[in-house]
Each structure stands twice: as structure tokens, then as C-alpha cells.
Amino acid sequence: MAGNWKMHKNAAETAAFFGQFLPAVRNTEGREMVVFPTFVNLAAAVGAARGSAVEIGAQNVFWLKEGAYTGEVSAPMLASVGCRWVIVGHSERRHYFGETDDTVLKKTAAALDAELSPIVCVGERLEERESNATEMVLGTQFTAGIAPLSPVQFAKICIAYEPVWAIGTGKTATPEIAAAAHHFLRTEIRRCFGDDAAAACRILYGGSVKPDNIKGLMAQPEIDGALVGGASLDPASFAAIVNF
Ligand code: PEP
């Protein structure tokens, strides 16, 4: 269960979130929880979550370790403040900031080198779904951004299927639509990495996940977890999702 805060919450709001969220989390047995604050609040979030089952991740990473790259943050820097995870290839980064499948691949490899766990996002736009191009888009993103990883690298990533038309729109994919996309991705994984990798890979669904739709989504065997945006900002609502 992953909560992507995007560009929300200052330092005080970050601390206040954990003060309310941690006591509200019940079912931690076998359940991984990660919160993705902004870069500047990562260290504070790591401190606030220390001793709990909640881990902290970053929303982006650069693929080189250091150098003259103004404004960028490297994977070893994230690891050095206690970050364990990173989101790579979120559709907002792909569409507003020019992220490509090639940079997704480089960022994923860099994250793995620093022992961060990447959640690699893929997903189609509305016009692509409406023109029956969903599998073509997912297949291209997978083939160019994920398939070149080695089997050892692949075993350490999670994939998030996030249909762009469902992100921040209140329009969740039905559990069946999400499961069909996950099934397609698992077929691609099987083709490139084999049966065991396909069975083991965790594929999260993201797109307007809320406390009232999480149960239906998680009832699909193809759906292994959720990447939650808006509903992860409120401690009670994210707790309801992780406690589903
Ligand atoms: C996201 O940011 O990854 C996301 C799924 O957002 P939301 O839950 O708000 O649709």
C-alpha cells in the first residue's frame, strides 16, 4: 500500500500526518506500507515513521550518483536519508516533465544499485484506451522501460498500473478493467522473465483508489496492492485503505 503525496504537505503537515496515521493503522501483518512525501520532507518523514511498519520513499530520482545536475537528487542521496523506495515513471513525470521509457529504465537501474525498491509506473491515456491501444501502450512501456532489466534486477521491482484517465479524476478503473491490464502485464513478464517471475511480481493498481473501492480492487487476485494519490493525504482515509 503506497501513498504518493505528490507536491503536497509542508514540514509541519508531514509530522502531523504521521501523528494521526500511525496509531490508526491496524492490519500490518504481511502488509507493506510506504509513504512518498516531497524530497524536502523525506528525512522528517523517516524520523516520524521510525519504529513503525511504515517505510518512506521518494517520488523521483536521477540516474547518476552526483555531478553538475542542478535540481536533481541521486539514489545514494535518497538512501542516505533513510529512504527505502522510489516511484519511477509516474504519468505526471512522463507527461509534464518529459520522462521517457529510456529514463525510466536508467532511473530504475540506479535505484536498484542504491538498494532502493522501485515502483515502476505504466498506464495508458484516455484516448489510447478509447482507441483500443491500451495493450500496445502498456506493451511498449514494458518492453522499453522494464524488459531490459536483468532477471535479478526485475525480481526487486514492483510495477504500478496507473491508467492516466483514472488518476486524480475520481474515475476508478473497475476491478475487472484493472485486473485485465494486470493480467496483460503479467503475460509480458512471463514472456520476458518466465513463470516464476510473473507469479512473484507485485503489480499495484493506481487511479482514484479510495476507502470505498479498495476492497473490490483487492478482491481481484491479479491486484497485489494500491498506489494511492489524493486519498493518501488524509491520515484517516489512508489508514482506512491500508486497513481494508
Ligand atoms: C497517483 O498519484 O499515483 C494516483 C493514483 O493518484 P489518485 O489516487 O489521486 O488518482
Side-chain angles (χ1 to χ4, degrees), residues 4 6 90 92 162 166-168 206-209 227-230:
N4 172 18
K6 313 190 186 194
H90 191 280
E92 287 153 14
E162 297 212 303
I167 296 182
S208 297
V209 173
L227 178 51
V228 185

Side-chain angles (χ1 to χ4, degrees), residues 6-221:
K6 313 190 186 194
M7 197 174 69
H8 292 287
K9 293 196 192 290
N10 61 24
E13 290 163 344
T14 298
F17 174 91
F18 287 98
Q20 293 171 42
F21 175 67
L22 296 179
V25 171
R26 285 196 315 269
N27 304 331
T28 53
E29 186 77 33
R31 197 159 292 191
E32 279 174 276
M33 294 167 287
V34 195
V35 172
F36 293 85
T38 57
F39 281 137
V40 291
N41 290 312
L42 285 173
V46 167
R50 187 163 289 127
S52 77
V54 178
E55 295 186 328
I56 303 301
Q59 299 170 21
N60 187 25
V61 65
F62 190 55
W63 58 83
L64 294 176
K65 289 196 172 85
E66 62 179 7
Y69 302 100
T70 302
E72 295 295 335
V73 177
S74 73
M77 289 169 186
L78 295 176
S80 75
V81 296
C83 235
R84 305 288 309 279
W85 295 77
V86 64
I87 296 172
V88 180
H90 191 280
S91 62
E92 287 153 14
R93 297 227 52 93
R94 289 179 188 261
H95 299 140
Y96 302 147
F97 302 103
E99 190 86 85
T100 64
D101 293 326
D102 180 50
T103 60
V104 166
L105 180 61
K106 290 200 271 198
K107 289 179 177 194
T108 303
L112 290 168
D113 281 347
E115 298 192 356
L116 298 173
S117 302
I119 297 180
V120 184
C121 303
V122 296
E124 81 287 0
R125 296 175 190 245
L126 183 60
E127 60 271 28
E128 292 163 339
R129 174 157 287 272
E130 286 176 344
S131 59
N132 287 326
T134 298
E135 293 193 353
M136 198 265 288
V137 171
L138 296 181
T140 301
Q141 291 173 340
F142 181 86
T143 301
I146 297 176
L149 295 171
S150 72
V152 171
Q153 287 175 313
F154 180 78
K156 295 179 184 155
I157 74 164
C158 294
I159 296 175
Y161 167 61
E162 297 212 303
V164 180
W165 48 270
I167 296 182
T169 58
K171 251 192 189 178
T172 324
T174 62
E176 293 72 24
I177 287 177
H182 286 215
H183 179 75
F184 172 76
L185 287 166
R186 234 178 267 285
T187 309
E188 290 291 281
I189 297 168
R190 189 169 298 113
R191 184 173 63 76
C192 295
F193 296 103
D195 288 345
D196 291 351
C201 181
R202 288 176 301 168
I203 307 179
L204 316 186
Y205 166 76
S208 297
V209 173
K210 307 279 180 231
D212 63 2
N213 58 28
I214 184 69
K215 258 205 174 84
L217 289 161
M218 293 303 294
Q220 294 286 336

